[in-house]
Amino acid sequence: MKTSSSRINDMLIPARFLATMGHLIAVIMANLTINDNIDIALSSTSSDDDYNAAKSVALSAIVISYVCFTFDFVGLFGGFIFFERVNCLLTALHCTGSLLVSWFIVHTWQYRILWTTVGLFNVTAALVNVCVFVSVFMFKTVTY
Protein backbone atom coordinates (compact mmCIF):
# COMPACT_ATOMS: atom_id res chain seq x y z
CA MET A 1 0.00 0.00 0.00
CA LYS A 2 1.30 3.41 -0.96
CA THR A 3 1.74 6.14 1.60
CA SER A 4 0.03 9.46 1.13
CA SER A 5 3.42 11.05 0.41
CA SER A 6 4.05 8.58 -2.39
CA ARG A 7 0.61 9.21 -3.89
CA ILE A 8 1.14 12.97 -3.79
CA ASN A 9 4.50 12.64 -5.55
CA ASP A 10 2.88 10.35 -8.14
CA MET A 11 0.66 13.31 -9.06
CA LEU A 12 3.16 16.13 -8.54
CA ILE A 13 5.93 14.84 -10.79
CA PRO A 14 3.73 14.62 -13.94
CA ALA A 15 2.11 17.97 -13.06
CA ARG A 16 5.54 19.54 -12.67
CA PHE A 17 6.65 18.07 -16.01
CA LEU A 18 3.57 19.42 -17.79
CA ALA A 19 3.87 22.84 -16.16
CA THR A 20 7.58 23.08 -17.05
CA MET A 21 6.95 21.97 -20.63
CA GLY A 22 4.08 24.45 -20.97
CA HIS A 23 6.31 27.24 -19.70
CA LEU A 24 9.11 26.22 -22.07
CA ILE A 25 6.73 26.15 -25.04
CA ALA A 26 5.41 29.60 -24.08
CA VAL A 27 8.97 30.98 -23.96
CA ILE A 28 9.74 29.44 -27.36
CA MET A 29 6.61 31.09 -28.74
CA ALA A 30 7.65 34.40 -27.15
CA ASN A 31 10.97 34.07 -28.94
CA LEU A 32 9.13 33.67 -32.24
CA THR A 33 6.89 36.71 -31.67
CA ILE A 34 9.34 39.04 -29.91
CA ASN A 35 9.46 41.45 -32.87
CA ASP A 36 5.81 42.41 -32.30
CA ASN A 37 6.52 43.15 -28.63
CA ILE A 38 9.50 45.30 -29.58
CA ASP A 39 7.45 47.21 -32.16
CA ILE A 40 4.83 48.02 -29.50
CA ALA A 41 7.49 49.37 -27.13
CA LEU A 42 9.34 51.54 -29.64
CA SER A 43 7.93 54.60 -31.34
CA SER A 44 7.70 54.84 -35.10
CA THR A 45 10.61 57.30 -35.11
CA SER A 46 13.01 54.87 -33.42
CA SER A 47 16.23 54.12 -35.21
CA ASP A 48 17.61 50.75 -36.20
CA ASP A 49 20.08 51.03 -33.33
CA ASP A 50 17.20 51.38 -30.87
CA TYR A 51 15.47 48.36 -32.39
CA ASN A 52 18.66 46.27 -32.27
CA ALA A 53 19.31 47.27 -28.65
CA ALA A 54 15.74 46.33 -27.70
CA LYS A 55 16.03 43.03 -29.52
CA SER A 56 19.29 42.30 -27.72
CA VAL A 57 17.67 42.98 -24.34
CA ALA A 58 14.69 40.75 -25.16
CA LEU A 59 16.83 37.92 -26.50
CA SER A 60 19.02 38.10 -23.41
CA ALA A 61 15.96 37.44 -21.26
CA ILE A 62 15.00 34.49 -23.44
CA VAL A 63 18.51 33.01 -23.30
CA ILE A 64 18.56 33.35 -19.49
CA SER A 65 15.21 31.58 -19.47
CA TYR A 66 16.60 28.68 -21.53
CA VAL A 67 19.56 28.35 -19.15
CA CYS A 68 17.17 28.21 -16.20
CA PHE A 69 15.12 25.52 -17.94
CA THR A 70 18.29 23.44 -18.18
CA PHE A 71 18.49 23.39 -14.37
CA ASP A 72 14.79 22.52 -14.18
CA PHE A 73 15.06 19.58 -16.53
CA VAL A 74 18.24 18.25 -14.91
CA GLY A 75 16.43 18.26 -11.57
CA LEU A 76 13.28 16.77 -13.04
CA PHE A 77 14.85 13.98 -15.09
CA GLY A 78 17.68 13.36 -12.63
CA GLY A 79 15.18 12.64 -9.88
CA PHE A 80 17.03 14.78 -7.36
CA ILE A 81 14.01 16.76 -6.26
CA PHE A 82 11.60 14.54 -4.41
CA PHE A 83 10.47 16.98 -1.75
CA GLU A 84 6.73 17.61 -1.92
CA ARG A 85 6.93 21.30 -1.04
CA VAL A 86 9.66 21.94 -3.58
CA ASN A 87 7.72 20.17 -6.32
CA CYS A 88 4.59 22.15 -5.40
CA LEU A 89 6.54 25.41 -5.53
CA LEU A 90 8.16 24.59 -8.87
CA THR A 91 4.84 23.50 -10.36
CA ALA A 92 3.19 26.74 -9.21
CA LEU A 93 6.08 28.85 -10.53
CA HIS A 94 5.98 27.24 -13.96
CA CYS A 95 2.17 27.36 -14.20
CA THR A 96 2.13 31.05 -13.36
CA GLY A 97 5.12 31.74 -15.60
CA SER A 98 3.52 29.99 -18.56
CA LEU A 99 0.30 31.96 -18.09
CA LEU A 100 2.11 35.30 -17.92
CA VAL A 101 4.31 34.55 -20.93
CA SER A 102 1.21 33.48 -22.86
CA TRP A 103 -0.47 36.78 -21.97
CA PHE A 104 2.74 38.54 -22.97
CA ILE A 105 2.37 37.00 -26.43
CA VAL A 106 -1.39 37.38 -26.87
CA HIS A 107 -1.65 40.95 -25.59
CA THR A 108 1.69 42.00 -27.15
CA TRP A 109 3.05 43.50 -23.96
CA GLN A 110 6.26 45.51 -24.13
CA TYR A 111 9.41 43.43 -24.34
CA ARG A 112 10.73 44.77 -21.00
CA ILE A 113 8.02 42.84 -19.13
CA LEU A 114 9.67 39.61 -20.25
CA TRP A 115 12.54 40.33 -17.84
CA THR A 116 10.08 40.45 -14.96
CA THR A 117 8.59 37.06 -15.79
CA VAL A 118 12.02 35.51 -16.32
CA GLY A 119 13.30 36.92 -13.04
CA LEU A 120 10.30 35.95 -10.96
CA PHE A 121 9.58 32.52 -12.39
CA ASN A 122 12.57 31.09 -14.27
CA VAL A 123 15.42 32.39 -12.14
CA THR A 124 13.55 31.62 -8.92
CA ALA A 125 12.89 28.04 -10.06
CA ALA A 126 16.53 27.62 -11.09
CA LEU A 127 17.73 28.92 -7.72
CA VAL A 128 15.42 26.48 -5.92
CA ASN A 129 16.84 23.66 -8.03
CA VAL A 130 20.42 24.70 -7.30
CA CYS A 131 19.66 24.92 -3.56
CA VAL A 132 18.23 21.40 -3.62
CA PHE A 133 21.25 20.10 -5.59
CA VAL A 134 23.57 21.64 -3.01
CA SER A 135 21.58 20.31 -0.05
CA VAL A 136 21.41 16.79 -1.48
CA PHE A 137 24.93 16.42 -2.86
CA MET A 138 27.07 18.68 -0.69
CA PHE A 139 25.32 18.71 2.66
CA LYS A 140 23.85 15.19 2.30
CA THR A 141 20.53 16.26 3.85
CA VAL A 142 18.83 13.40 2.00
CA THR A 143 20.69 10.37 0.69
CA TYR A 144 20.36 10.13 -3.05
Side-chain angles (χ1 to χ4, degrees), residues 31-142:
N31 188 18
L32 297 174
T33 62
I34 199 67
N35 293 334
D36 296 335
N37 302 89
I38 293 171
D39 290 340
I40 291 294
L42 298 178
S43 65
S44 59
T45 60
S46 298
S47 68
D48 286 341
D49 291 337
D50 293 336
Y51 183 83
N52 291 335
K55 188 157 187 162
S56 175
V57 167
L59 290 179
S60 297
I62 290 172
V63 168
I64 295 288
S65 178
Y66 290 150
V67 170
C68 292
F69 279 121
T70 303
F71 288 106
D72 289 322
F73 284 116
V74 166
L76 185 65
F77 293 128
F80 310 124
I81 300 176
F82 35 80
F83 307 110
E84 289 176 23
R85 290 182 180 161
V86 173
N87 279 323
C88 283
L89 174 66
L90 293 173
T91 302
L93 284 171
H94 287 301
C95 281
T96 308
S98 64
L99 285 172
L100 285 176
V101 173
S102 297
W103 288 340
F104 170 81
I105 296 166
V106 170
H107 298 293
T108 55
W109 290 346
Q110 292 190 9
Y111 69 95
R112 291 178 200 97
I113 295 173
L114 190 58
W115 270 110
T116 305
T117 59
V118 168
L120 288 175
F121 303 106
N122 289 97
V123 173
T124 304
L127 288 175
V128 168
N129 278 303
V130 168
C131 289
V132 170
F133 295 154
V134 168
S135 71
V136 168
F137 291 114
M138 290 184 71
F139 298 130
K140 308 285 186 202
T141 55
V142 177

